[in-house]
């Protein structure tokens, strides 16, 4: 029978086969395990069959034979020291490790429970003794022995199953820094849709090469039905694309930390940040001796004003038009964004994590409310030096709406607004001194006038900007699949503008900027525009 027909038939019988197992086995866990084995056996039988006159009769004949083998293969447990063990005169797991069946054994390990899987891996693959495993997992030694015995039984039975699995089955990955470039939708963003470990691993399984549902399932070592449900959502919301071949390909830009990329990026930034600083940032910032009268800065602090200029000045290092290049995905919930994620990798090269945290950021983030009798826009950039979460969810319209009414004198300090004031105080957008509230962010009437007054980049550093962008793009392309190359090249063609946090650190070290006070950090790099 051809694979297409077998796939169609097995889909029809999956639930029926589970019902068959559930009727015959009282233990739900055993029934589920047997149903999984039974489904695979029936599917393999269908693939091997040439002509089947009565499909229904054929399937149930195979099912009954499988059940008979399952029952005859049961063995009795015996109790030792209050713990049940499966009597075994030989260690079949160790024998399999030493044989050509080792690969099949690794496959079957993925089908074990979490604790049993850890016990087996520690014992056979990392040469840990029972006592050591007990300490690592914080469980009694007898429990470790029991798990070893149970695991060996399950592995023996599973060795007869016709299934395979890949690396992600035994070594699942995890994403961090999941975010977006664009506008989120009603259901959230990348971090919402990829909140589950299984979804992250499904997405990663089809990132470097397109895969079918079954191929993804084999890579993860899980039932294809579970994969199918997750892929359906990811496809619907544009995180995966279904190709004409029937395979799926992940449409999330996944950054995979590696030494080669890190070295290139580090070398490039160490070279270009001082050049940009000396030729552009330092002369421009040192030339600013007062704050324009149309901009309101807390305590008229010139240092805070200069902090707010770093990111807009960094944007001037772009040499080509900005935009999404057509790579942004319009999603069913109204979202319109490019999805990003970073693979959680523990560096095996020299890496100063405390230092690297200084370069993390979130933003810039725009919020606005434009309606009858109300017009405001807000701009915020979160960095290591701002005492705020590096999470766009923390930047919301609700807070800026209240600040807008506060500035207009339309937020009375009365019982009705106690919660509003407290929230703004907690965020640090307002401060209260001597019984009076004062704004702790920058306020400006015209956003257009603001952007027009940002110091221009000297034209003679354009070539440096292009060189820097080319180096960073080179680093970003390493280890990336071919289908992401066009997007990465487009997004990083202005990568010189991405040195903003490194520039902040450099300017602090060279005395051009002063670190903000604890109070100032709350409102750092936050602007509320209140008029066109």
């Amino acid at each position: 029978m051809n694979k297409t027909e077998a796939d169609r038939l097995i889909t029809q019988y999956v639930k029926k086969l589970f019902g068959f197992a559930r009727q015959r086995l009282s233990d739900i866990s055993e029934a589920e395990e047997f149903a999984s084995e039974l489904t695979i056996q029936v599917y393999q039988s269908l693939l091997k069959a040439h002509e089947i006159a009565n499909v229904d009769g054929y399937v149930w004949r195979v099912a009954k034979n499988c059940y008979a083998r399952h029952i005859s293969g049961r063995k009795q447990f015996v109790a030792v020291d209050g713990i049940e063990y499966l009597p075994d005169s030989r260690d079949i797991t160790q024998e399999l490790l030493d044989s050509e069946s080792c690969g099949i054994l690794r496959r079957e390990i993925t089908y074990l429970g979490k604790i049993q899987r850890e016990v087996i891996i520690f014992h056979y693959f990392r040469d840990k003794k029972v006592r050591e495993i007990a300490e690592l997992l914080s469980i009694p030694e007898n429990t470790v022995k029991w798990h070893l015995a149970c695991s060996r039984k399950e592995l023996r039975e599973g060795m007869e199953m016709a299934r395979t699995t890949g690396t992600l089955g035994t070594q699942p990955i995890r994403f961090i820094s999941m975010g977006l470039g664009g506008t989120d939708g009603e259901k959230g963003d990348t971090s919402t849709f990829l909140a589950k470990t299984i979804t992250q691993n499904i997405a990663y399984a089809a990132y470097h090469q397109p895969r079918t549902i079954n191929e993804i399932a084999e890579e993860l070592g899980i039932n294809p039905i579970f994969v199918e449900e997750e892929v359906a959502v990811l496809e619907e919301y544009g995180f995966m694309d279904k190709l004409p071949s029937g395979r799926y390909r992940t449409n999330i830009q996944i950054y995979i930390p590696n030494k080669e990329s890190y070295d290139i990026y580090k070398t490039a930034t160490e070279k270009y940040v001082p050049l940009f600083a000396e030729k552009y940032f330092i002369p421009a910032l040192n030339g600013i001796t007062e704050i324009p009268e149309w901009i309101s800065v807390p305590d008229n602090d010139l240092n805070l004003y200069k902090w707010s200029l770093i990111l807009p000045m960094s944007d001037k290092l772009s040499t080509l038009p900005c935009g999404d290049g057509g790579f942004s995905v319009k999603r069913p919930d109204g979202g319109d964004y490019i999805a990003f994620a970073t693979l959680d990798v523990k560096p095996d090269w020299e890496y100063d994590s405390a230092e690297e945290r200084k370069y993390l950021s979130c933003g810039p983030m725009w919020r606005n409310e434009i309606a009858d009798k109300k017009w405001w826009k807000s701009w915020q950039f979160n960095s290591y030096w701002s005492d705020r979460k590096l999470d766009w969810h923390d930047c919301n319209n609700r807070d800026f709406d209240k600040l807008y009414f506060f500035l207009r004198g339309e937020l009375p300090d009365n019982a009705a607004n106690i919660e509003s004031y407290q929230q703004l105080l907690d965020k640090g957008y307002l401060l209260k001194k001597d019984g009076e509230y004062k704004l702790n962010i920058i306020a400006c009437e015209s956003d257009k006038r603001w952007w027009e007054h940002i110091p221009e980049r000297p034209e003679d550093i354009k070539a440096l900007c292009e060189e820097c962008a080319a180096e960073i793009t080179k680093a970003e392309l390493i280890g990336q699949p071919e289908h992401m190359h066009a997007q990465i090249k487009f997004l990083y063609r202005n990568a010189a503008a991405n040195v903003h946090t490194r520039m902040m650190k450099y300017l602090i070290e060279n005395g051009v900027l002063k670190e903000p006070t604890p109070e100032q950090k709350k409102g750092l790099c936050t602007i509320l525009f209140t008029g066109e």
Side-chain angles (χ1 to χ4, degrees):
M1 182 180 293
N2 63 54
K3 185 176 183 300
T4 301
E5 180 65 10
D7 288 346
R8 184 184 69 80
L9 288 172
I10 200 64
T11 301
Q12 295 177 1
Y13 279 94
V14 166
K15 292 184 179 179
K16 296 178 181 178
L17 291 173
F18 176 75
F20 175 89
R22 190 70 184 90
Q23 288 175 356
R24 287 159 176 77
L25 300 168
S26 59
D27 183 87
I28 185 65
S29 297
E30 184 182 5
E32 289 177 345
E33 181 180 353
F34 173 63
S36 177
E37 175 187 357
L38 181 56
T39 302
I40 294 170
Q41 292 293 336
V42 171
Y43 181 64
Q44 291 294 329
S45 296
L46 290 173
L47 288 173
K48 293 176 182 177
H50 296 292
E51 294 184 9
I52 303 175
N54 181 354
V55 173
D56 201 52
Y58 179 85
V59 169
W60 296 123
R61 187 167 65 252
V62 173
K64 290 174 182 177
N65 289 336
C66 286
Y67 178 66
R69 288 197 300 272
H70 179 78
I71 294 301
S72 64
R74 283 181 169 179
K75 292 185 179 181
Q76 296 299 316
F77 283 85
V78 296
V80 179
D81 295 332
I83 304 293
E84 288 188 325
Y85 294 93
L86 181 68
D88 196 353
S89 60
R90 61 196 178 93
D91 190 345
I92 189 172
T93 308
Q94 189 60 57
E95 290 177 15
L96 287 168
L97 278 170
D98 298 332
S99 72
E100 61 184 5
S101 300
C102 181
I104 303 175
L105 176 63
R106 289 176 182 270
R107 175 198 76 194
E108 289 305 315
I109 289 173
T110 67
Y111 290 85
L112 296 173
K114 182 177 184 295
I115 294 294
Q116 290 183 341
R117 186 168 65 245
E118 290 179 336
V119 168
I120 286 290
I121 290 175
F122 277 131
H123 188 64
Y124 291 104
F125 293 86
R126 300 184 184 174
D127 297 320
K128 300 292 184 184
K129 299 185 183 302
V130 169
R131 177 181 53 76
E132 295 174 311
I133 298 172
E135 292 177 354
L136 287 167
L137 300 181
S138 299
I139 58 178
E141 290 184 31
N142 273 349
T143 304
V144 173
K145 294 175 183 176
W146 183 78
H147 280 308
L148 283 171
C150 290
S151 300
R152 290 167 188 154
K153 173 183 178 291
E154 291 187 34
L155 292 172
R156 276 200 303 274
E157 293 175 349
M159 293 296 289
E160 298 177 1
M161 296 184 184
R163 59 189 181 193
T164 59
T165 191
T167 304
L168 295 179
T170 52
Q171 301 173 32
I173 58 88
R174 186 173 76 92
F175 288 155
I176 54 175
S177 302
M178 294 174 282
L180 76 163
T183 306
D184 68 303
E186 293 180 358
K187 292 194 174 183
D189 71 332
T190 316
S191 62
T192 307
F193 286 91
L194 272 68
K196 296 183 292 186
T197 301
I198 185 175
T199 315
Q200 295 175 19
N201 280 269
I202 287 171
Y204 190 66
Y207 186 59
H208 288 93
Q209 63 183 90
R211 289 182 170 175
T212 63
I213 296 290
N214 283 347
E215 288 170 342
I216 294 172
E218 289 177 358
E219 175 64 24
L220 271 63
I222 61 176
N223 193 307
I225 295 175
F226 301 133
V227 173
E228 191 172 43
E229 293 173 352
E230 297 289 341
V231 168
V233 176
L234 293 176
E235 181 192 5
E236 180 184 2
Y237 283 86
F239 296 98
M240 295 186 88
D241 298 323
K242 189 172 185 179
L243 306 180
S245 64
R247 286 180 164 80
Y248 293 86
R249 185 174 65 193
T250 299
N251 187 29
I252 301 166
Q253 187 173 320
I254 303 172
Y255 174 62
I256 306 163
N258 62 86
K259 185 178 186 302
E260 187 178 0
S261 296
Y262 177 79
D263 287 344
I264 293 174
Y265 198 97
K266 188 170 185 291
T267 299
T269 53
E270 287 178 349
K271 173 183 177 181
Y272 291 103
V273 167
L275 291 174
F276 294 148
E278 299 301 326
K279 293 178 178 291
Y280 175 32
F281 286 84
I282 293 177
L285 293 173
N286 282 343
I288 297 174
T289 57
E290 60 182 10
I291 300 170
E293 51 85 22
W294 48 274
I295 300 174
S296 174
V297 179
D299 298 323
N300 208 36
D301 190 305
L302 191 62
N303 181 59
L304 279 182
Y305 171 63
K306 291 181 179 181
W307 267 97
S308 68
L309 298 176
I310 305 305
L311 188 64
M313 289 177 68
S314 296
D315 287 343
K316 299 284 186 179
L317 299 179
S318 299
T319 58
L320 292 169
C322 297
D324 61 40
F327 295 103
S328 185
V329 177
K330 292 184 175 7
R331 307 177 195 271
D333 64 340
D336 188 354
Y337 55 88
I338 297 173
F340 300 99
T342 299
L343 195 65
D344 188 9
V345 174
K346 185 176 181 180
D348 58 359
W349 61 89
E350 186 177 342
Y351 182 88
D352 187 340
S353 58
E355 178 70 12
E356 292 301 317
R357 277 197 295 273
K358 295 180 179 180
Y359 308 132
L360 299 177
S361 65
C362 181
M365 296 168 285
W366 280 96
R367 303 290 182 266
N368 67 77
E369 184 67 49
I370 300 173
D372 290 342
K373 300 181 180 180
K374 182 164 63 172
W375 192 105
W376 63 261
K377 290 181 180 179
S378 68
W379 175 92
Q380 186 173 85
F381 178 70
N382 293 355
S383 69
Y384 170 83
W385 293 277
S386 57
D387 190 9
R388 297 186 294 266
K389 296 177 182 178
L390 298 182
D391 183 351
W392 64 269
H393 296 86
D394 200 44
C395 178
N396 58 70
N397 283 44
R398 183 174 60 254
D399 294 332
F400 292 107
D401 214 38
K402 293 170 183 174
L403 285 172
Y404 172 78
F405 287 115
F406 171 79
L407 284 175
R408 290 170 59 92
E410 297 175 11
L411 190 71
D413 184 11
N414 55 30
N417 292 316
I418 287 177
E419 289 187 7
S420 295
Y421 273 100
Q422 190 57 53
Q423 186 171 352
L424 294 175
L425 289 170
D426 291 343
K427 279 288 188 74
Y429 296 159
L430 287 183
L431 298 176
K432 189 174 186 180
K433 294 186 177 180
D434 301 324
E436 296 291 327
Y437 293 101
K438 76 168 190 174
L439 197 65
N440 196 37
I441 65 171
I442 292 176
C444 177
E445 285 194 3
S446 172
D447 64 319
K448 181 179 178 182
R449 191 175 183 184
W450 169 271
W451 298 113
E452 288 176 345
H453 100 293
I454 303 299
E456 289 295 330
R457 175 204 77 210
E459 189 60 28
D460 62 2
I461 67 169
K462 179 180 179 181
L464 288 177
C465 296
E466 293 171 345
E467 290 173 13
C468 177
E471 287 298 302
I472 292 175
T473 300
K474 179 181 175 182
E476 294 292 339
L477 286 170
I478 294 171
Q480 292 292 332
E482 186 65 32
H483 75 280
M484 295 304 300
H485 282 201
Q487 177 175 302
I488 291 171
K489 288 177 181 177
F490 181 85
L491 294 179
Y492 287 93
R493 74 202 191 290
N494 286 321
N498 296 345
V499 302
H500 37 54
T501 50
R502 294 173 188 269
M503 183 59 67
M504 290 173 177
K505 180 174 177 289
Y506 184 88
L507 294 174
I508 290 173
E509 292 173 343
N510 286 271
V512 180
L513 289 180
K514 292 182 292 185
E515 290 206 34
T517 66
E519 275 190 352
Q520 292 174 332
K521 287 181 177 182
K522 293 282 189 179
L524 190 69
C525 295
T526 303
I527 307 174
L528 181 63
F529 301 101
T530 57
E532 299 182 59

